[in-house]
Amino acid sequence: MVRARPDSPLLFEIVERPDFSFETSAKAEGLWPVAGMDEAGRGPLAGPVVAAAVVLDPTNIPDGLDDSKRLSHAQREPIFEAILNSALGVAMASVCAEGIDASDIRKASLEAMRRALCGLPVRPRLALADGRDVPPGLPCLGRALVKGDQRSQSIAAASIVAKVMRDRMMSDCGRRHAHYGFEIHMGYATLRHRTAIKAYGPLKRLHRVSFAPFRLEMAEVDESQST
């Protein structure tokens, strides 16, 4: 027996977009302003982890806010400018590769978000953080939202700001270190990047030598020296 194809869309085809409901609920609780926080650059082998904190104006929310990973470069750039021009407050902060190596990427990401929040020109009463963790040491109440960049417009705005700023930083690194192609892969472990590392070695203060590929290479060197 052949089953009729349903007219309604399948659940997995429905893409949820972030809204302002978390912020509206917080405002009703007396928790205003509300800041969204997110970071970019947890996974790359090189470059900083960059975080942003954004307090949106409820009367002037830019169109197209979404998880930065679901937007192309061409889509992110005008939204980034719209956020800067309309938000009540925007701040950015980063932790460099050496700082990441000195702790770990999770702690470095949380610290970058804390610094970004503290740099806001307005003092938030509540900070919404993307992920499972609230950065320690916040000057206000914090709440973590899993997949927050796909649920909260404030976090989505922060994700776009962090991504655009980090991409610009890595593009500048690409101009300074042409052999590595940072402006193309943004420090991620692409074949081109890994090939350049093998050919020219890691760059001091830019490559995260605590990450697995570098640890494995150092282990191989230690083993060869012990024979």
Side-chain angles (χ1 to χ4, degrees), residues 31-131:
L31 297 174
W32 185 261
V34 175
M37 301 183 297
D38 202 0
E39 50 72 28
R42 284 180 69 114
L45 299 180
V49 59
V50 177
V54 177
V55 177
L56 291 174
D57 181 351
T59 67
N60 190 15
I61 298 176
D63 293 330
L65 292 176
D66 200 352
D67 173 2
S68 63
K69 297 183 292 297
R70 300 200 299 203
L71 300 171
S72 67
H73 171 79
Q75 291 172 318
R76 285 192 296 266
E77 287 290 335
I79 301 174
F80 170 80
E81 296 297 335
I83 294 167
L84 297 188
N85 292 330
S86 65
L88 299 177
V90 178
M92 293 148 275
S94 65
V95 174
C96 68
E98 287 181 320
I100 295 168
D101 290 335
S103 56
D104 59 54
I105 187 58
R106 174 182 167 275
K107 292 178 182 177
S109 298
L110 295 175
E111 172 60 14
M113 285 195 280
R114 185 195 68 81
R115 293 178 188 177
L117 187 81
C118 291
L120 284 170
V122 294
R123 183 71 177 265
R125 296 283 304 282
L126 173 66
L128 301 176
D130 181 47

